[in-house]
Amino acid sequence: IIMANKRLLKKQIKYICGDIAGECIMSRYLIPGIDAEKMESIVLEVATLQAATLKRVTFDFDKCKKDFATDKDYNTARNKYFATAYKTLSEDFNASIKAIVKSMNEALPQAQKEENKRQAN
């Protein structure tokens, strides 16, 4: 995910989670032999991830300009704080998405996994 501003970041999170949930729902109906219960639980997991991540998008710098010798020092510390917070949010979100995709792949029947490998090569 790329952070231009909070509004765009929230949209990206919603799009990513929506696309994954849509893939799960479509796969459940279109792939014979798929573990339907697992796909349903993955959709719920995606919804939970989306809600939790959206809550974490807003974070505040806990210091004010008076705490620093110059405005430049304040801006430098503030920018570093936000960059670190965004990086942590992004890494956590991406790790969760990877785990969800792994679960999605585990729900596929063996014949579909072999077909996917064949098409990838």
Side-chain angles (χ1 to χ4, degrees), residues 20 49 92-105:
I20 290 173
L49 172 65
D92 292 348
F93 181 74
N94 289 335
S96 296
I97 292 295
K98 286 179 183 177
I100 288 169
V101 170
K102 184 177 179 181
S103 295
M104 289 169 65
N105 287 333

Side-chain angles (χ1 to χ4, degrees), residues 73-111:
D73 292 342
Y74 169 77
N75 289 332
T76 301
R78 185 173 181 270
N79 290 340
K80 183 177 179 182
Y81 172 82
F82 281 112
T84 302
Y86 169 73
K87 182 180 178 187
T88 301
L89 175 75
S90 180
E91 288 172 350
D92 292 348
F93 181 74
N94 289 335
S96 296
I97 292 295
K98 286 179 183 177
I100 288 169
V101 170
K102 184 177 179 181
S103 295
M104 289 169 65
N105 287 333
E106 289 171 357
L108 292 173
Q110 188 60 36

